[in-house]
Amino acid sequence: MTTTRAPSAAPPSDAAVRRRIRRMRVAAAGRIDPSSVYCVLLAIVMATALVWHPLTAAVWPAGGDGLSIPLLAVAALALLAFFGVLRRVGPVVVTRADATWLLVAPVSRRTLLTPALLLTAFAAVVVGGLLGLAVAGRAVGRPAEATVVVAGAFGGAALGLLLVLLAVRCQQRPRTGRVVDLVAGGTAATLVVAAAAADRLAGGYALPDAVPPPASAVLAPALIVVSLAAAAVARVWWRLDGWPTHRIVEASATVGSYADAVYAIEPSFLAEQGSRRYWRRRTGIRTSRLVRARRVPPLVAQDLLSAGRRPGRLPWLVGTAMLPALVADGPAWLLAAVVLVGALAAASVTGEATHTDASNPAALRLLGLSARRVLSQRLVVPAVVAALWGALALALAQVTGELAGPWWALGVAVGPAAAVAALYRAKISASSIGTIFIDTPVGAFPSGVLLWLVNGVDVVAVLALPVVISLFTVQAPEPLGWSAVLTQAALSIAGCLVLTLRRSAARTVAV
């Protein structure tokens, strides 16, 4: 007697699975409302009408001034910023719903990831093409030949596609991504320094006329690079079925968290998500001797380790220290704003630990530390970093000849004041300081966003009042007096004492 087996059902096709999912979504949420389509199309038309003329003037100005180092540096910084966005969003990613249901379904992974890859490639071509046109429009005179336009567009598109391929490679190999991120950060900081030095010290160094090659010599390599890059993108598309699941799920969770933060208008959550993503990828971290050393307080050692394990921030701090030199000959209020905000940003390098202390005070209670000791230890590293940044920034601004006297000492004295403001800013999130909604013509948004944006800036503006007064009243060739430095140092010390010696800091064991 022979055994009879039931016929096995053939696995459903990708089209059948997607058709089933589409029907379930329509049954649950309904079809697209025509009014929603009308609102989206109207918004696109209005946005095009508003930005078309400014965008055209920025991409293709009325006249070309030739290539210069600041122009090339700005274009390279824009490409690096686009690469940073690609690194944050994937770039190969799906929605969280698709990652939950479709990744485990019998659906081809290539079909699932194709829309994200095509959208990323299209965005790279558009951004790179516009940047290429902007550089070409400023490099050549008028009237410009059609070959110049085509060469600029295809050259920028080629660079954009190469960045997409690099971002995809970094997503596949996190170790390579960490190295590339570090190199990109250092390159961006170097470009900022080069652009600032060329603009301030050399008056915007213009390259010789023989440096830009002819358009015909650029067009042929650009077409070849675009073709090879498109072929490489097609190769990536063909191998999407072999992508590991955890890479897609991780990128989907990150993009979903960013979308939630944008939808809830919670900017502080973006920084927290970025910090969690950064430390989640760090493995094999060894315990440093700073933790075991009794001479270094534990929270100071933690801040030192946190700053040392994120070396990519150091080039950015050096690059941003050039900003006061760029605006030294401008209005005094702009220079004061750049110095105060820059010092606050430099003091915020260890703000993640303070934010964690405020959100999880139980960990501090386990250490047996009072809030006074916690705040005293948390002030050390931010004060030193802000003091070094202020000294470098004001010293570079003095090199331009717009300032005279011991401005570097004034930058050192403003460091503790910036550290106090950074601690106030790190302890509070946007959702915890304002829940009242403000009605505007474009919709309602919580007041906590506005309060969070100015949180800490008001503190540093009050504690750094001698710096602001000096920038408004003391101009070269009049030298800065040491009385302003001593006044600023006394006010900074007073701010630290008010923060640490208040009665609540002595009673509670939390920040």
Side-chain angles (χ1 to χ4, degrees), residues 59-420:
V59 173
W60 196 264
D65 300 330
L67 288 179
S68 61
I69 291 180
L71 174 62
L72 296 178
V74 170
L77 285 173
L79 288 175
L80 289 176
F82 176 71
F83 176 74
V85 172
L86 292 180
R87 290 284 293 133
R88 295 299 181 274
V89 300
V92 180
V93 66
V94 294
T95 62
R96 284 180 293 186
D98 291 344
T100 303
W101 300 104
L102 295 185
L103 280 180
V104 296
V107 181
S108 173
R109 193 155 294 179
R110 185 186 301 120
T111 305
L112 184 62
L113 300 176
T114 295
L117 184 62
L118 292 180
L119 180 62
T120 303
F122 176 76
V125 170
V126 171
V127 173
L130 291 178
L131 287 175
L133 285 177
V135 173
R138 286 164 174 77
V140 299
R142 301 293 185 271
E145 300 178 355
T147 309
V148 176
V149 178
V150 177
F154 274 92
L159 292 177
L161 289 177
L162 291 178
L163 290 180
V164 169
L165 294 174
L166 182 60
V168 171
R169 180 68 174 180
C170 294
Q171 185 179 3
Q172 289 178 324
R173 297 182 178 275
R175 293 184 179 179
T176 304
R178 289 194 289 268
V179 175
V180 172
D181 291 341
L182 184 60
V183 173
T187 303
T190 304
L191 289 174
V192 171
V193 174
D199 186 71
R200 291 295 305 167
L201 303 180
Y205 180 74
L207 299 178
D209 297 335
V211 171
S216 57
V218 177
L219 182 58
L223 291 175
I224 295 175
V225 173
V226 167
S227 302
L228 295 177
V233 171
R235 185 168 177 265
V236 171
W237 172 81
W238 184 256
R239 294 187 173 185
L240 285 178
D241 280 334
W243 272 56
T245 304
H246 65 282
R247 302 290 182 215
I248 306 172
V249 172
E250 181 182 2
S252 301
T254 302
V255 174
S257 300
Y258 288 162
D260 292 341
V262 173
Y263 179 77
I265 317 180
E266 177 59 56
S268 61
F269 187 64
L270 293 176
E272 185 176 354
Q273 284 296 112
S275 175
R276 290 181 180 180
R277 182 188 181 190
Y278 180 88
W279 292 112
R280 186 169 59 247
R281 293 183 176 183
R282 264 57 186 175
T283 57
I285 297 179
R286 298 179 181 179
T287 303
S288 175
R289 294 181 179 179
L290 288 174
V291 179
R292 301 190 298 267
R294 297 182 179 180
R295 297 180 180 179
V296 181
L299 299 184
V300 176
Q302 182 189 10
D303 289 343
L304 289 174
L305 291 177
S306 178
R309 286 169 179 169
R310 302 196 70 168
R313 290 182 174 182
L314 180 61
W316 281 107
L317 291 178
V318 177
T320 54
M322 293 289 296
L323 295 179
L326 289 177
V327 299
D329 57 348
W333 63 266
L334 180 59
L335 178 58
V338 170
V339 171
L340 295 184
V341 175
L344 179 61
S348 301
V349 293
T350 59
E352 300 170 5
T354 304
H355 185 74
T356 304
D357 294 343
S359 60
N360 186 21
L364 294 179
R365 294 189 180 97
L366 294 177
L367 292 177
L369 299 176
S370 65
R372 179 176 297 173
R373 295 181 61 186
V374 171
L375 293 173
S376 301
Q377 296 180 23
R378 291 297 189 198
L379 278 173
V380 175
V381 177
V384 173
V385 174
L388 294 177
W389 187 93
L392 179 61
L394 292 179
L396 292 176
Q398 188 176 354
V399 172
T400 61
E402 300 295 334
L403 302 175
W407 285 93
W408 61 270
L410 190 63
V412 173
V414 81
V420 173

Side-chain angles (χ1 to χ4, degrees), residues 4-9:
T4 304
R5 295 183 179 179
S8 59

